[in-house]
Amino acid sequence: MYVTISSEQANNARPLRSASKQPTPIAKAFKAGANLYFEGDRVERIYQVCSGVLRLTRLLEDGRRQVIAFGFPGDIVGFPCDGRYHTDCDVLTEARLQAYHLSALEGESGNPELHKELLQAALREISAMQDHFMMLGRKSAIEKVASFLCVLTERMSRDTGPRNQAFLPMSRSDIADFLGLTTETVSRTLSQLRKRGIIAINNIHTIMVLQPQALFGLSQGHEGMDCPTKPDLHGLARAC
């Protein structure tokens, strides 16, 4: 969900209950624009993304919005905070989600295998969140956008064809609110990358990465076209 999330979770995405003898819940389809839950709602279920993209947001008291994270296939959303959701969650693209009741984690009747897997998922999320905060505080605008494109190419390219094609289901303002930038800065940075021949913008929702080496280098703070580490578009996320 974060700029730093690794490819392992996405590539090994499977129902969490697969190791259990109990039947796997049936994934449910959600249309784009649907609200999954709201901040402050009591948590009854957590969700694993089977397909599609989710957006997790919070509003400040003055009405400003912060995009906390995006939910990609393989991600789990809805972990409770004092028994309640701590973000809003809506569906950006048509999605299939697998729901798990909290009862699977509580009491003697809880599923210990599921509990263990969810605990590991929560720990991965905490680690990725810490890395994301470091990125927000230390990286420049071009480093943030380059890191975001590296991860998005990895997470979304399997369903969109070529490995170097990044599908952007979110708006420029979503990206800005996620990276701590203005919408104008995001648009200007994408234009700079296009002019340098690093990416090509096919349309508002599709970007082709023409020079992955250069894009990865920028994500690491290397302004030149060369990067000391050979990039792999399906293994860039942790480094970004």
Side-chain angles (χ1 to χ4, degrees), residues 60-214:
L60 300 178
E61 292 183 358
D62 60 5
R64 286 179 296 169
R65 183 189 69 163
Q66 175 68 45
V67 175
I68 302 298
F70 295 103
F72 297 115
D75 289 333
I76 299 170
V77 302
F79 287 110
C81 178
D82 293 329
R84 298 186 181 276
Y85 295 114
H86 64 286
T87 68
D88 295 341
C89 181
D90 61 320
V91 181
L92 280 182
T93 68
E94 185 174 339
R96 290 177 61 251
L97 308 175
Q98 203 126 35
Y100 296 89
H101 286 266
L102 284 187
S103 59
L105 305 177
E106 300 171 342
E108 296 180 356
S109 61
N111 183 338
E113 295 175 354
L114 178 59
H115 185 280
K116 182 179 179 180
E117 290 192 58
L118 289 173
L119 176 61
Q120 292 302 313
L123 293 175
R124 285 194 299 267
E125 180 173 350
I126 292 172
S127 177
M129 187 185 304
Q130 292 172 341
D131 291 342
H132 186 72
F133 289 159
M134 177 72 74
M135 183 274 298
L136 290 178
R138 294 300 179 184
K139 288 193 174 185
S140 66
I142 195 167
E143 291 168 355
K144 290 179 181 180
V145 173
S147 297
F148 182 75
L149 291 179
C150 284
V151 174
L152 204 64
T153 301
E154 178 201 25
R155 297 301 303 271
M156 298 302 292
S157 63
R158 289 190 302 170
D159 294 330
T160 57
R163 290 178 60 186
N164 62 338
Q165 179 173 292
F167 173 55
L168 277 70
M170 62 287 295
S171 67
R172 301 296 190 262
S173 62
D174 286 337
I175 299 172
D177 289 347
F178 180 58
L179 298 179
L181 302 171
T182 65
T183 304
E184 293 75 14
T185 298
V186 170
S187 297
R188 183 169 61 251
T189 303
L190 290 173
S191 296
Q192 291 174 355
L193 294 173
R194 178 182 58 80
K195 291 177 181 178
R196 293 174 61 173
I198 296 175
I199 66 172
I201 302 177
N202 291 354
N203 55 62
I204 193 172
H205 291 303
T206 307
I207 287 180
M208 298 293 293
V209 180
L210 303 179
Q211 298 186 50
Q213 186 93 11

